[in-house]
Amino acid sequence: MIDPTMRRRAFLHSASLLAVACGVAPVAVRATGIAPAKRVPLPAPARAPRQNRAPLAKQPLLPLPVGSIKPAGWLRRQLEIQALGLGGRLDETWADVGPNSGWLGGDGESWERGPYFVDGLLPLAWALDDEALKAKAQRFIDWTLDHPWPDGMIGPRSNDDWWPRMVMAKVLIQYHELTEDPRVIPVLTAYFHYQLAALPARPLKDWGRFRWHDEVVAVLWLYNRTGDTSLLKLARLLHQQGWHWQAEFADFPFRHKVTLDDLGMVRRPDGNFDNTMTDRALSGHGVNNAMGIKASPVWSLVTGEKTDREAIYHQLAELDRYHGMPTGMFAADEHLAGRSPSQGVELCAVVETLFSLELAAAITGDVAIADRIERIAYNALPATFTDDMWAHQYDQQPNQIKCSLSPGPWTTNGPESNLFGLEPHFGCCTANFHQGWPKLNDSLWMGTADGGLAALVYAPCTVRTIVSDMTVDLTVTTDYPFRDNVAIDVSPSRPARFPVKLRIPAWAKAMVVTVNGAPVSANRSDGFLVIDRVWHQGNVIAIRFAFEVEREPGFNDAVSVARGPLLFALPIAENWQKWRTRGLTADWEVYPAGPWNYALTAAPLIPAEHPVSSVPFSRRTPPMTVTAKLVRAPDWVEAHGGYADPPPPSPIAITDGETEMVSLIPYGAAKLRVAALPVARA
Ligand SMILES: [Zn+2]
């Protein structure tokens, strides 16, 4: 357990010990030297969630204002690890978000990286109430709010690209929810008015054209606060100029691992590509697809059309069908990559899919979307970082048997793509990963359209919000997803009746719920268990799920082992080799130090619980294991290029194979692993 007051140096020492134990050398750490921010507003008071203003469609679930949910337990420790690693220190070691950033008035990087960094740093800083991190985020925000152009444009003067400003708009709306800083609404209003006038002559292009919906989120946010109808015109114009994802998926063109020909791209002798900004290349791009998942539900708020709201299901189904992975993600090692578990997915695509799904869950009220959020957040997200979050991958693979400087199975990514480091392959993920954990925290609970509260994603946290003009505090105590029980203390400021809605996970064979130890009458409605009663201070809801270890069939009928939201993987012994030092951190290759080519037998899969340590997704101290009987599959070999061949079609015949009892560990903890195992013929 980490004492929250544990000093930074002491924590880093313990984190470094853990890193050494699994083969990662400790990183050098220097003291920070951050100047105080110009303004550090006081913490926001409890606030109610907000329903959409007419004529926008109503939502069944209403995100709580950012700052309403504070992480606790293992989730808090995970956010502390992020803050002590690249998440809180990146600006000290990476010039692209350092003091010379164009978003701080300097002449350094002036495009997406500054806004990307603050999009996650800001909610992280407030979630942890960390004054030093708040000060870091505040400097970017102060510069942006204090330096609009005379015509209303925002951002560095060195470029007028709409795309990075879409990210900064996402930052500013979170910042306003946290602080109610009076500068935000006038600056955003002037910017959107300027853009509405400028777009006809200077329309969306490139990335902004494929990501228009992310700006619509901010435009509708402002409309809900001001009622300025010109904002609805802007939303329509962004849609009109933007990529039509629904039309794309009506006849989805990418039905296998893409080739350069599919994308119309041409590799130059220097390894770079021509034609990267064509419609074909941008619509087959993984991060664009991750962001595009929110397009139809967001647009449905403007049209009120059910067909728009529900188009997301077809979109997700097509991505699953042709590119689905055991983690709930789709393969996109830059571009859509088919279903082999040796293919990768970019970290930006992981965090952007999560953000898309968090918005989509609120707009649709669909608990299946929340199931997918948990599957991705509790597996794909932690898997792609070192335990101390000082290094990350660009691409992660479900079957990741080696992370080395080798060509890999990628069509358009380079040889560094699955290394762990500061900016392997390309620095977008370095700047963008920050939003993953903090925005998950902000989406755990939501308000409901009928004046209640809904548990959307289960994790330890505290919530302070307003329901029916009264402050309600929730304290959620749990080690879910490593355990199957959750306790929720519901404390309204005075006794009051309102519904509390508890998501029923798809994996739960049963869900037993009591209030103050007594059975409770609850209705099932839209995938939630609804307890509608008079709540008194200190009422406690206790939930116990019945989860079973499941065998989930996948590519070539290989099987992935899951229990509840957690995916389990065969951990391969890891040999970490430092490739080069990168400022405060380093780039690492990881070589297998043991065999990986096994098949799963039909023997029972036995789960076991272990203590949840200070590093929740730790290979050294996994909080849960599943014991499996495996058999070596000698014909399954490494492909030329440094990756596992796709698993041979199951079942496979193995004669006289040696069997071993092996502990599978959470996918997120194993950096070398096999998560899609062929099945041995009985
Ligand atoms: Zn990226």
Side-chain angles (χ1 to χ4, degrees), residues 480-548:
Y480 186 100
F482 312 112
R483 299 291 186 271
D484 54 9
N485 57 320
V486 180
I488 305 163
D489 179 299
V490 183
S491 284
S493 55
R494 56 182 160 74
R497 179 172 184 159
F498 57 89
V500 172
K501 303 188 179 188
L502 307 169
R503 172 179 136 254
I504 306 169
W507 314 283
K509 307 298 177 199
M511 181 171 166
V512 177
V513 177
T514 60
V515 175
N516 301 333
V520 65
S521 74
N523 299 321
R524 279 174 177 255
S525 175
D526 296 328
F528 289 96
L529 211 60
V530 182
I531 310 174
D532 191 354
R533 55 172 267 155
V534 177
W535 298 98
H536 299 264
Q537 203 152 60
N539 283 172
V540 175
I541 303 170
I543 308 170
R544 182 167 292 280
F545 300 107
F547 292 145
E548 291 174 4

Side-chain angles (χ1 to χ4, degrees), residues 36-199:
K38 201 161 60 176
R39 302 175 188 84
V40 181
L42 295 170
R47 275 160 298 148
R50 210 179 258 262
Q51 186 51 279
N52 293 321
R53 183 192 283 261
L56 299 180
K58 305 286 188 224
Q59 297 185 190
L61 298 179
L62 310 170
L64 300 180
V66 181
S68 304
I69 305 174
K70 300 287 187 194
W74 74 260
L75 181 60
R76 184 171 191 89
R77 296 200 292 280
Q78 188 65 54
L79 286 173
E80 287 168 347
I81 291 169
Q82 177 169 333
L84 292 167
L86 283 177
R89 309 278 314 266
L90 181 63
D91 57 315
E92 297 167 43
T93 202
W94 201 48
D96 282 5
V97 298
N100 203 33
S101 164
W103 290 90
L104 292 171
D107 60 5
E109 206 276 348
S110 299
W111 194 50
E112 67 184 11
R113 294 185 179 181
Y116 264 162
F117 177 46
V118 189
D119 192 30
L121 175 64
L122 179 84
L124 175 71
W126 261 263
L128 294 177
D129 275 326
D130 183 320
E131 296 304 325
L133 294 193
K134 287 181 184 178
K136 288 186 178 198
Q138 190 78 41
R139 290 187 305 158
F140 286 87
I141 286 166
D142 284 342
W143 184 86
T144 303
L145 292 175
D146 291 343
H147 295 85
W149 304 16
D151 55 13
M153 181 70 155
I154 58 170
R157 303 292 179 98
S158 57
N159 74 79
D160 63 1
D161 189 353
W162 300 118
W163 156 239
R165 292 160 175 89
M166 294 179 179
V167 184
M168 188 47 88
K170 284 197 297 177
V171 172
L172 292 177
I173 66 177
Q174 291 180 81
Y175 173 69
H176 187 272
E177 292 190 5
L178 287 164
T179 65
E180 296 183 355
D181 187 320
R183 294 173 296 171
V184 172
I185 285 179
V187 166
L188 274 180
T189 300
Y191 172 61
F192 289 150
H193 282 184
Y194 163 74
Q195 192 184 29
L196 180 61
L199 272 176

Side-chain angles (χ1 to χ4, degrees), residues 287 346-349 394 426-430 432:
V287 183
E346 183 186 337
L347 175 50
C348 278
Y394 190 88
F426 191 69
C428 53
C429 307
T430 313
N432 191 17

Side-chain angles (χ1 to χ4, degrees), residues 398-660:
N399 285 355
Q400 183 164 279
I401 63 158
K402 183 191 285 185
C403 303
S404 66
L405 282 164
S406 49
W410 343 113
T411 301
T412 49
N413 279 163
E416 292 180 28
S417 296
N418 70 353
L419 267 51
F420 286 82
L422 173 66
E423 51 173 337
H425 181 66
F426 191 69
C428 53
C429 307
T430 313
N432 191 17
F433 79 76
H434 306 263
Q435 64 174 315
W437 284 116
K439 289 187 183 174
L440 179 81
N441 173 71
D442 292 338
S443 306
L444 299 175
W445 284 75
M446 293 193 184
T448 65
D450 55 359
L453 289 167
L456 192 69
V457 171
Y458 294 104
C461 65
T462 59
V463 181
R464 171 165 285 190
T465 187
I466 292 175
V467 173
S468 304
D469 298 326
M470 150 190 67
T471 299
V472 176
D473 286 307
L474 304 175
T475 303
V476 182
T477 308
T478 183
D479 277 328
Y480 186 100
F482 312 112
R483 299 291 186 271
D484 54 9
N485 57 320
V486 180
I488 305 163
D489 179 299
V490 183
S491 284
S493 55
R494 56 182 160 74
R497 179 172 184 159
F498 57 89
V500 172
K501 303 188 179 188
L502 307 169
R503 172 179 136 254
I504 306 169
W507 314 283
K509 307 298 177 199
M511 181 171 166
V512 177
V513 177
T514 60
V515 175
N516 301 333
V520 65
S521 74
N523 299 321
R524 279 174 177 255
S525 175
D526 296 328
F528 289 96
L529 211 60
V530 182
I531 310 174
D532 191 354
R533 55 172 267 155
V534 177
W535 298 98
H536 299 264
Q537 203 152 60
N539 283 172
V540 175
I541 303 170
I543 308 170
R544 182 167 292 280
F545 300 107
F547 292 145
E548 291 174 4
V549 179
E550 315 245 16
R551 298 169 191 248
E552 298 181 353
F555 183 76
N556 274 356
D557 292 320
V559 159
S560 294
V561 174
R563 183 180 184 275
L566 278 186
L567 190 63
F568 286 81
L570 163 68
I572 305 166
E574 296 169 5
N575 173 15
W576 289 70
Q577 295 191 8
K578 191 189 216 176
W579 174 35
R580 55 182 178 176
T581 297
R582 301 297 306 274
L584 295 175
T585 184
D587 292 342
W588 299 90
E589 294 182 288
V590 193
Y591 287 88
W596 58 269
N597 49 348
Y598 289 87
L600 187 63
T601 70
L605 296 163
I606 312 296
E609 295 178 348
H610 314 286
V612 184
S613 80
S614 57
V615 179
F617 291 91
S618 165
R619 179 192 177 111
R620 183 167 161 263
T621 54
M624 189 162 210
T625 52
V626 172
T627 303
K629 189 176 184 183
L630 306 183
V631 57
R632 286 293 295 278
D635 294 339
W636 186 23
V637 296
E638 181 177 327
H640 179 69
Y643 58 95
D645 261 342
S650 289
I652 59 174
I654 298 175
T655 50
D656 300 331
E658 268 184 54
T659 60
E660 293 177 38

